[in-house]
Amino acid sequence: MSAIKLAFNSWPMSRNLFNYARSNVNKVKYQSTKSGGLVLIDVNDKTGYALVTLNSPPVNSLNLELLTAFSNALDEVKNNKSKGMILTSSSPTVFTAGLDINEMYKPDYARARKFWSSLQDCWLKLYGSSFPTAAAINGHSPAGGCLFAMCCEYRVMLPKYTIGLNETKLGIVAPAWFMASMKNTIPIRKAEMALTLGTLFSTEEALKLGLVDEIAKDKAEAIAKCEAFLKRYEKIPQMARGATKQLYRQQDIKELESSRGADVELFITTIKNDKIQTSLGRYIAFLKWKKRLKPLIQFVSYVTRLVKPQKKKKTTTT
Amino acid sequence: MSAIKLAFNSWPMSRNLFNYARSNVNKVKYQSTKSGGLVLIDVNDKTGYALVTLNSPPVNSLNLELLTAFSNALDEVKNNKSKGMILTSSSPTVFTAGLDINEMYKPDYARARKFWSSLQDCWLKLYGSSFPTAAAINGHSPAGGCLFAMCCEYRVMLPKYTIGLNETKLGIVAPAWFMASMKNTIPIRKAEMALTLGTLFSTEEALKLGLVDEIAKDKAEAIAKCEAFLKRYEKIPQMARGATKQLYRQQDIKELESSRGADVELFITTIKNDKIQTSLGRYIAFLKWKKRLKPLIQFVSYVTRLVKPQKKKKTTTT
Amino acid sequence: MSAIKLAFNSWPMSRNLFNYARSNVNKVKYQSTKSGGLVLIDVNDKTGYALVTLNSPPVNSLNLELLTAFSNALDEVKNNKSKGMILTSSSPTVFTAGLDINEMYKPDYARARKFWSSLQDCWLKLYGSSFPTAAAINGHSPAGGCLFAMCCEYRVMLPKYTIGLNETKLGIVAPAWFMASMKNTIPIRKAEMALTLGTLFSTEEALKLGLVDEIAKDKAEAIAKCEAFLKRYEKIPQMARGATKQLYRQQDIKELESSRGADVELFITTIKNDKIQTSLGRYIAFLKWKKRLKPLIQFVSYVTRLVKPQKKKKTTTT
């Protein structure tokens, strides 16, 4: 199989991307296209692994378009019979910022239903994939980002970022299937506290907790470590491996599959709540304010570093 | 909110208690009333946390009256919209000694049914509470004491006491919902062994196992540590936090709710068993004998300490 | 109770065995009969523990006859009211090699159905036994061997052997009830990886993982450590202990009991699959080739040891 590059989004794929891809056959290995679709797929022809890159700048906010593109990408990886998948991001600092709050704040409800349904699609396809999956978490990974990372079978994360299901902090409740993925990853008591506190763990805390498996110094090393994980399945018959994983996760999958409609309506009811709308509104205002103040914060931070010799890291444990 | 003190029991509340409470407004903080109801509630007006004190001397044996009072107290904490609850005991050495064996030994079966049903009430309300909960375990905490402690979201325990579901040692079986609380707290394999062995863990063993979260040198420090835990939820929207906890524990709650009647009858069938009656009878005799010999044991212990310089602690591990 | 020795197999029990047993009353303690049935039972009259020895040379391949004998042995241990059971093997290097592939490769389907049903019987009786169980794993313990070991409540293993559910490596899928036993033993995430990778853990890795509880230097020490574990239940009323264990494992048991027929047919469908037949055929050929080359391998190994001073152990972690 030759190195193919496919981009999925809700619009037609750009010609440019394909040209780029063709010109780099046999040269690039997992090098993300500079422009193009919302989700990029690079299949390494030597390993047979698909590198799937979330590519919706600046922070891969999971909106309807990105989720649809990701859902399609997961189909493609399955249909191409890739031997494994590595999920990463084209952003230098964010894996994904999680669900796009704009899909929840004063939404068009028809679109909001599609949005939630496409999130279900992604979870069902990723958590229930027969092919092995690993996440190269090359930036912050809150909420939906943590969810997708936990759906994978292995997680390698870059230092000094954060990961966690922080929904309660925004006044919302992570659904039961979010919880299921976390229960499948870390000890049950730790999961309960992480969920109620909405804890965002530092990379180092996440490693200690088992929420990530390894730390890598940069994206290339993270991808290499994911490849090393996938390589462990090289001699395992694929059909048996995939069926074993699916049987292991079967109960969680079944529970969402049997309640998709109700789960969508629960989401709609939730976002119709006044208090939640107020909370989301405030958060959006905060994000805008933060963005505007960013240059000032960076300047203060710069000056502070010049003055103070070495700031001690504050660690929080759960 | 002013510091209020309420006492719940099956009898009318003593006037004395209210007087005491009023005279100490703005002075006392979590100071237990010296006399009064079976369960005391002190709400700290600064933090909004309710300190709930089991107050049935000498050892907080969970009989129908105490369970009813505790169930009512849990309603009160919920209705008062307390921001959190700390559960502790007024006894200097016992958190609670667990279910009152007298409710099971040669019982009035109508009362025994009410007794078991009120225990279910307490579990459903405490394990399924929306407000955050922490236990300041200031003494021994066997059986039902361990159950209530595990229902809380955090546990701080004083040194040199014991905690565990020791039902098998008395010839009885901890119900599935007791087991659910333990499975939600410690690793599944450890829970199985703890349950079949009826292990009573020392404070230090319990910490290692994850059955308690912290050790405190005295009751005041235990309460302070519980407050520090509750404080972590200060900035988490309460509704989302509560709903997250309830969703996380939902399956366990549902299982008891859908089988309460059958569960009561199982209890009745169990205590009707001759062998169990014999076993309980023997245990009651042992407790009486132990009580009678207490002064002698204390004297021997005193003399031994005078003679031996320092006794090495015996540790048992599971 | 006098020391009794019973042997179970699908053929009549040998007179010789009984004679041997009688002549050794009050002398032998857990000494396996030199010849006889497929499964040996030695009840220690002092402790009341039954030592159950899988005795189908050379490697205790779990075929229909051995499974039937083991199922009968489990009934016997139950009916004899043994206070506990220790499961071990008469082979010097293998606990059991797991399911006999010959029962799956080009099988008589009527026999294959009986084979799978008898495996279900063994699991239901062992995993769901009221009496306490411990495994003295005195050799390799792949697949079905690991399954039976995990059904026990405690595991003591000799060094330098391997244990694990390695089904995926052979292209087959461990059923949900195999998985249930593993989930009841080790952390949920570790179980998933162990199952999809089909990992065979070294004794030392298994100890670290919690898949075994202790390491013993030889079979006698392993049995002694199992006895010490069983002895911890000495003062626990047996009925309460057994009912607690069964209630704890109830959900897993119920799930197989309610789907035994479908589970048999799933097995039949699986082994009818061409790819799996090919895979099994290749594996059988490999085993034959390995057997033929064994003397050569041993010679090479002998020479290598003479030449190299000390070979460093390679460790794999999951």
Side-chain angles (χ1 to χ4, degrees), chain B residues 291-304:
Chain B
K291 201 177 172 184
R292 252 196 332 257
L293 288 188
K294 207 177 172 183
L296 179 61
I297 291 167
Q298 282 173 335
F299 176 75
V300 170
S301 168
Y302 174 75
V303 171
T304 310

Side-chain angles (χ1 to χ4, degrees), chain B residues 243-263:
Chain B
T244 297
K245 173 183 169 184
Q246 289 171 330
L247 182 60
Y248 196 83
R249 298 179 171 193
Q250 168 180 252
Q251 198 51 45
D252 299 336
I253 302 274
K254 271 187 182 170
E255 266 169 38
L256 178 58
E257 273 177 347
S258 67
S259 64
R260 288 192 65 164
D263 186 66

Side-chain angles (χ1 to χ4, degrees), chain C residues 3 134 155 192 196 236 245 305:
Chain C
R155 282 157 290 282
E192 184 178 278
T196 55
I236 312 291
K245 173 183 169 185
R305 256 181 253 161

Side-chain angles (χ1 to χ4, degrees), chain A:
Chain A
M1 196 191 327
S2 157
I4 44 168
K5 288 177 182 260
L6 299 174
F8 289 90
N9 57 27
S10 45
W11 301 283
M13 284 174 276
S14 74
R15 282 205 78 218
N16 181 40
L17 173 69
F18 271 104
N19 290 342
Y20 179 86
R22 283 194 201 109
S23 66
N24 282 279
V25 167
N26 297 328
K27 266 191 282 179
V28 292
K29 187 194 166 190
Y30 289 155
Q31 185 183 319
S32 287
T33 51
K34 293 293 190 314
S35 64
L38 292 172
V39 176
L40 311 173
I41 306 180
D42 298 59
V43 178
N44 184 312
D45 58 348
K46 280 188 187 153
T47 61
Y49 304 146
L51 181 72
V52 172
T53 304
L54 301 176
N55 184 38
S56 179
V59 295
N60 286 321
S61 280
L62 300 168
N63 61 10
L64 176 57
E65 285 73 25
L66 180 53
L67 288 172
T68 306
F70 185 41
S71 176
N72 290 338
L74 290 167
D75 287 339
E76 185 62 27
V77 172
K78 183 183 172 189
N79 295 335
N80 275 348
K81 303 193 175 172
S82 293
K83 283 189 185 165
M85 188 192 100
I86 298 165
L87 182 62
T88 192
S89 154
S90 62
S91 154
T93 55
V94 178
F95 182 64
T96 134
L99 301 183
D100 191 336
I101 288 173
N102 295 302
E103 298 281 13
M104 303 181 227
Y105 185 61
K106 299 183 180 171
D108 162 4
Y109 288 108
R111 184 183 160 99
R113 283 188 172 83
K114 271 190 210 162
F115 163 73
W116 196 255
S117 185
S118 68
L119 178 64
Q120 292 176 340
D121 280 336
C122 291
W123 185 81
L124 289 168
K125 289 175 188 175
L126 182 57
Y127 189 63
S129 81
S130 61
F131 50 82
T133 52
I137 308 164
N138 58 325
H140 291 298
S141 191
C146 177
L147 179 69
F148 285 164
M150 290 189 305
C151 284
C152 294
E153 294 164 59
Y154 202 75
R155 282 158 291 281
V156 182
M157 190 165 168
L158 268 53
K160 299 185 182 174
Y161 290 116
T162 58
I163 185 169
L165 291 181
N166 60 325
E167 277 77 357
T168 54
K169 277 185 180 150
L170 306 181
I172 51 178
V173 177
W177 39 291
F178 283 49
M179 292 182 177
S181 290
M182 189 169 256
K183 285 183 187 176
N184 198 52
T185 309
I186 61 170
I188 192 161
R189 169 96 203 295
K190 301 283 187 185
E192 184 178 277
M193 282 193 61
L195 283 160
T196 55
L197 283 164
T199 313
L200 284 172
F201 299 97
S202 71
T203 303
E204 294 69 23
E205 289 165 355
L207 180 74
K208 205 177 154 196
L209 181 62
L211 188 53
V212 303
D213 298 293
E214 285 191 76
I215 297 181
K217 67 178 192 297
D218 55 31
K219 185 177 174 179
E221 190 181 276
I223 291 171
K225 281 172 185 272
C226 287
E227 286 179 306
F229 169 74
L230 295 175
K231 206 162 181 284
R232 294 174 68 183
Y233 288 107
E234 210 168 42
K235 288 181 183 169
I236 311 291
Q238 287 180 51
M239 212 168 57
R241 198 214 83 86
T244 296
K245 173 183 168 184
Q246 290 172 331
L247 182 59
Y248 196 82
R249 297 179 171 195
Q250 168 180 253
Q251 198 53 42
D252 299 335
I253 302 275
K254 271 187 183 169
E255 265 169 39
L256 178 57
E257 274 177 346
S258 67
S259 64
R260 289 192 64 164
D263 186 65
V264 167
E265 292 317 310
L266 183 65
F267 169 68
I268 297 297
T269 307
T270 303
I271 60 171
K272 277 188 176 167
N273 182 292
D274 282 346
K275 277 193 183 168
I276 284 170
Q277 282 299 316
T278 308
S279 170
L280 292 175
R282 262 189 223 133
Y283 191 68
I284 286 170
F286 165 73
L287 290 180
K288 280 181 188 160
W289 172 86
K290 195 177 157 193
K291 201 177 172 184
R292 253 195 331 257
L293 289 188
K294 206 178 174 183
L296 178 62
I297 292 167
Q298 281 173 338
F299 176 74
V300 171
S301 168
Y302 175 74
V303 171
T304 311
R305 256 181 253 160
L306 285 182
V307 176
K308 283 189 187 180
Q310 184 67 32
K311 207 174 149 189
K312 252 195 175 169
K313 225 180 98 266
K314 185 192 160 194
T315 54
T316 324
T317 54
T318 303

Side-chain angles (χ1 to χ4, degrees), chain C:
Chain C
M1 197 190 326
S2 155
I4 44 168
K5 291 182 180 255
L6 297 174
F8 289 91
N9 56 27
S10 45
W11 301 283
M13 284 175 276
S14 75
R15 281 206 79 217
N16 182 40
L17 173 69
F18 270 105
N19 291 341
Y20 179 85
R22 285 194 200 109
S23 65
N24 282 278
V25 167
N26 297 330
K27 265 191 284 179
V28 292
K29 186 195 166 189
Y30 290 155
Q31 185 183 318
S32 288
T33 50
K34 292 296 190 313
S35 65
L38 293 172
V39 176
L40 311 172
I41 305 181
D42 298 59
V43 179
N44 184 312
D45 58 349
K46 281 187 187 153
T47 61
Y49 304 147
L51 181 72
V52 172
T53 305
L54 301 177
N55 183 38
S56 179
V59 293
N60 285 321
S61 280
L62 299 169
N63 62 11
L64 176 57
E65 285 73 24
L66 180 53
L67 288 172
T68 306
F70 185 41
S71 175
N72 290 338
L74 290 166
D75 287 339
E76 184 61 25
V77 172
K78 182 184 172 189
N79 296 335
N80 275 348
K81 302 193 176 171
S82 293
K83 282 189 186 166
M85 188 192 100
I86 299 166
L87 182 62
T88 194
S89 154
S90 62
S91 154
T93 55
V94 178
F95 182 65
T96 134
L99 300 183
D100 191 336
I101 288 173
N102 295 302
E103 298 282 12
M104 303 182 227
Y105 185 62
K106 297 182 181 171
D108 162 3
Y109 288 108
R111 182 182 161 101
R113 282 188 173 82
K114 271 191 210 163
F115 163 73
W116 196 255
S117 184
S118 68
L119 178 63
Q120 292 176 339
D121 281 337
C122 291
W123 185 81
L124 290 167
K125 289 175 188 176
L126 182 57
Y127 189 63
S129 82
S130 60
F131 50 81
T133 51
I137 308 164
N138 59 325
H140 290 299
S141 190
C146 177
L147 179 70
F148 285 164
M150 290 189 306
C151 285
C152 293
E153 292 165 60
Y154 202 76
R155 282 157 290 282
V156 182
M157 191 166 167
L158 270 53
K160 297 186 183 175
Y161 291 115
T162 58
I163 185 168
L165 290 181
N166 59 326
E167 276 77 358
T168 54
K169 277 186 179 150
L170 306 181
I172 51 179
V173 177
W177 38 291
F178 283 49
M179 292 182 178
S181 290
M182 189 169 257
K183 284 182 188 177
N184 198 52
T185 310
I186 60 170
I188 192 163
R189 168 97 203 293
K190 300 283 188 186
E192 184 178 278
M193 282 194 63
L195 283 160
T196 55
L197 283 164
T199 313
L200 285 172
F201 298 97
S202 70
T203 303
E204 293 71 21
E205 289 165 356
L207 180 73
K208 205 177 154 195
L209 180 62
L211 188 54
V212 304
D213 298 293
E214 285 191 76
I215 298 181
K217 64 178 196 295
D218 56 30
K219 185 176 174 178
E221 190 181 275
I223 290 171
K225 281 171 185 275
C226 286
E227 287 179 305
F229 169 74
L230 295 176
K231 206 162 181 286
R232 296 174 67 182
Y233 289 107
E234 210 168 42
K235 288 180 184 170
I236 312 291
Q238 287 182 51
M239 213 168 54
R241 198 215 82 88
T244 296
K245 173 183 169 185
Q246 289 171 331
L247 182 59
Y248 196 83
R249 298 180 171 194
Q250 170 181 251
Q251 198 51 44
D252 299 336
I253 303 274
K254 271 187 181 170
E255 265 170 38
L256 179 57
E257 273 176 346
S258 67
S259 64
R260 287 192 65 164
D263 186 65
V264 167
E265 292 317 310
L266 184 65
F267 169 68
I268 297 297
T269 306
T270 303
I271 60 171
K272 277 187 175 167
N273 182 292
D274 282 346
K275 278 192 183 171
I276 283 169
Q277 282 299 316
T278 308
S279 170
L280 292 175
R282 263 189 222 134
Y283 191 69
I284 287 171
F286 165 74
L287 290 179
K288 279 181 188 161
W289 171 86
K290 196 178 157 193
K291 199 177 173 186
R292 250 194 335 254
L293 288 189
K294 206 177 174 183
L296 178 61
I297 292 167
Q298 282 174 335
F299 177 74
V300 170
S301 167
Y302 174 73
V303 172
T304 309
R305 256 181 253 161
L306 285 183
V307 177
K308 285 189 184 179
Q310 184 67 30
K311 209 174 147 189
K312 252 194 176 168
K313 227 182 96 265
K314 186 193 160 194
T315 54
T316 323
T317 53
T318 301

Side-chain angles (χ1 to χ4, degrees), chain B residues 32-272:
Chain B
S32 287
T33 49
K34 292 296 190 313
S35 64
L38 293 173
V39 176
L40 312 173
I41 306 181
D42 298 58
V43 179
N44 184 312
D45 58 349
K46 281 189 188 153
T47 62
Y49 305 146
L51 181 71
V52 172
T53 304
L54 301 176
N55 184 37
S56 179
V59 294
N60 285 322
S61 280
L62 300 169
N63 62 10
L64 176 57
E65 285 73 24
L66 180 52
L67 288 172
T68 305
F70 185 41
S71 175
N72 290 338
L74 290 167
D75 286 338
E76 185 61 27
V77 172
K78 183 183 172 188
N79 296 334
N80 276 348
K81 304 194 176 172
S82 293
K83 283 190 184 165
M85 188 193 101
I86 298 165
L87 181 62
T88 193
S89 155
S90 62
S91 155
T93 55
V94 178
F95 182 66
T96 134
L99 300 183
D100 191 335
I101 288 173
N102 295 303
E103 298 283 12
M104 304 182 226
Y105 185 61
K106 297 182 181 170
D108 162 3
Y109 288 108
R111 184 183 160 99
R113 281 187 174 82
K114 271 191 210 162
F115 163 72
W116 196 255
S117 184
S118 68
L119 178 63
Q120 292 175 341
D121 281 336
C122 291
W123 186 82
L124 289 168
K125 288 175 189 176
L126 182 57
Y127 189 63
S129 81
S130 61
F131 51 81
T133 51
I137 309 164
N138 59 325
H140 291 297
S141 190
C146 177
L147 178 69
F148 285 164
M150 290 188 305
C151 284
C152 293
E153 294 165 59
Y154 203 75
R155 282 157 291 281
V156 182
M157 190 165 167
L158 268 53
K160 298 186 182 175
Y161 291 115
T162 58
I163 184 169
L165 290 181
N166 60 326
E167 277 77 358
T168 54
K169 277 186 179 149
L170 306 181
I172 51 178
V173 177
W177 40 290
F178 284 48
M179 292 181 178
S181 290
M182 189 168 256
K183 285 183 188 177
N184 198 52
T185 309
I186 60 170
I188 192 162
R189 168 95 203 295
K190 300 283 187 184
E192 184 178 277
M193 282 193 61
L195 283 159
T196 55
L197 282 164
T199 313
L200 284 173
F201 298 97
S202 72
T203 303
E204 294 71 21
E205 290 164 354
L207 180 74
K208 206 178 153 195
L209 180 63
L211 187 54
V212 304
D213 298 294
E214 287 191 74
I215 298 181
K217 66 178 195 297
D218 56 29
K219 185 176 174 179
E221 189 181 277
I223 289 171
K225 281 171 185 271
C226 287
E227 286 179 305
F229 169 74
L230 295 176
K231 206 163 181 284
R232 295 174 67 182
Y233 288 107
E234 209 168 41
K235 288 181 184 170
I236 311 291
Q238 286 180 52
M239 212 168 57
R241 198 215 83 86
T244 297
K245 173 183 169 184
Q246 289 171 330
L247 182 60
Y248 196 83
R249 298 179 171 193
Q250 168 180 252
Q251 198 51 45
D252 299 336
I253 302 274
K254 271 187 182 170
E255 266 169 38
L256 178 58
E257 273 177 347
S258 67
S259 64
R260 288 192 65 164
D263 186 66
V264 167
E265 292 316 311
L266 184 65
F267 169 68
I268 297 297
T269 306
T270 303
I271 60 172
K272 278 187 175 167

